[in-house]
Amino acid sequence: DFMYSNIHITEPISGSVAMQLNHLFTAVSFGIINDGKSQVVVNEYKATLYTQKSASISFANAGTTITYTTGTSSQPAVFRSRSNFTVPALTKLPDAFNATSSSSSANDYKLMWPQEANELKACKLSITYTKGYTTYSKTLDFPVERLEAGKKYHFNVMILDTQNIRVNYEVVNWDDITNDYTFE
């Protein structure tokens, strides 16, 4: 992760200065849950997001301003995808894009640029899967308004017996980590 600090004005002192550090990125992970009574074969599962961006940090006027700029591509790109895998009945895979993921695995968060509401409207989760002899295909909007810096998002695509698809998600603040730094 890339972190930055706010401006902290102080007189010269011989002790440490407490600096608040902020995350420049967000983190996302994607799972899949087969809540049905039969296995499904996932033909393709993918997430598209804006992957080419840049950021500038201004420390002017005793404040910190972050400006994110979308890259040259005006469309979101495939961020993660996986094809041709089986999800047994009543199984939860916390990392749908990892072939070794199991129900005991943890969410595998990946760094991502924050996405504003207007950008996230163009980003999608899509899945094509076969249950029995029927193939289903669904393209879903992200169920959150935006992906904010300093937060982690986990999205589960749920395949249900009673409905085809549902997305649930969890948003948490990035864990607070205390680091002691000394500058002399």
Side-chain angles (χ1 to χ4, degrees), residues 139-155:
T139 299
L140 306 155
D141 294 327
F142 276 83
V144 294
E145 186 175 315
R146 60 200 298 213
L147 299 177
E148 296 179 58
K151 294 189 177 180
K152 298 188 315 185
Y153 297 81
H154 179 73
F155 300 95

Side-chain angles (χ1 to χ4, degrees), residues 3-172:
M3 298 186 78
Y4 63 95
S5 69
N6 289 329
I7 295 174
H8 184 80
I9 300 172
T10 184
E11 294 295 321
I13 58 175
S14 61
S16 62
V17 175
M19 302 283 299
Q20 176 186 347
L21 294 175
N22 303 294
H23 293 276
L24 189 65
F25 294 103
T26 188
V28 294
S29 67
F30 300 89
I32 190 165
I33 298 172
N34 179 359
D35 200 39
K37 296 175 184 145
S38 59
Q39 77 174 11
V40 295
V41 175
V42 178
N43 306 81
E44 183 178 45
Y45 179 33
K46 69 180 175 180
T48 59
L49 291 163
Y50 285 94
T51 59
Q52 295 183 8
K53 295 178 93 174
S54 61
S56 63
I57 305 170
S58 171
F59 295 100
N61 302 322
T64 307
T65 304
I66 309 301
T67 304
Y68 293 98
T69 306
T70 303
T72 56
S73 175
S74 61
Q75 296 296 317
V78 174
F79 176 63
R80 291 283 182 266
S81 70
R82 184 172 170 207
S83 301
N84 303 318
F85 63 99
T86 300
V87 182
L90 303 172
T91 299
K92 177 181 179 180
L93 298 178
D95 182 7
F97 299 120
N98 181 347
T100 61
S101 178
S102 67
S103 59
S104 62
S105 301
N107 299 343
D108 185 23
Y109 289 98
K110 303 291 185 197
L111 291 178
M112 173 48 60
W113 291 104
Q115 313 276 309
E116 292 300 321
N118 62 327
E119 295 171 317
L120 206 53
K121 286 180 184 177
C123 300
K124 304 292 179 195
L125 291 171
S126 63
I127 187 167
T128 301
Y129 67 95
T130 302
K131 183 167 40 171
Y133 295 102
T134 306
T135 299
Y136 302 91
S137 188
K138 186 77 171 176
T139 299
L140 306 155
D141 294 327
F142 276 83
V144 294
E145 186 175 315
R146 60 200 298 213
L147 299 177
E148 296 179 58
K151 294 189 177 180
K152 298 188 315 185
Y153 297 81
H154 179 73
F155 300 95
N156 276 319
V157 170
M158 296 181 67
I159 300 170
L160 307 169
D161 272 342
T162 57
Q163 302 174 3
N164 286 342
I165 296 288
R166 184 173 76 193
V167 177
N168 64 3
Y169 62 95
E170 176 183 38
V171 181
V172 295

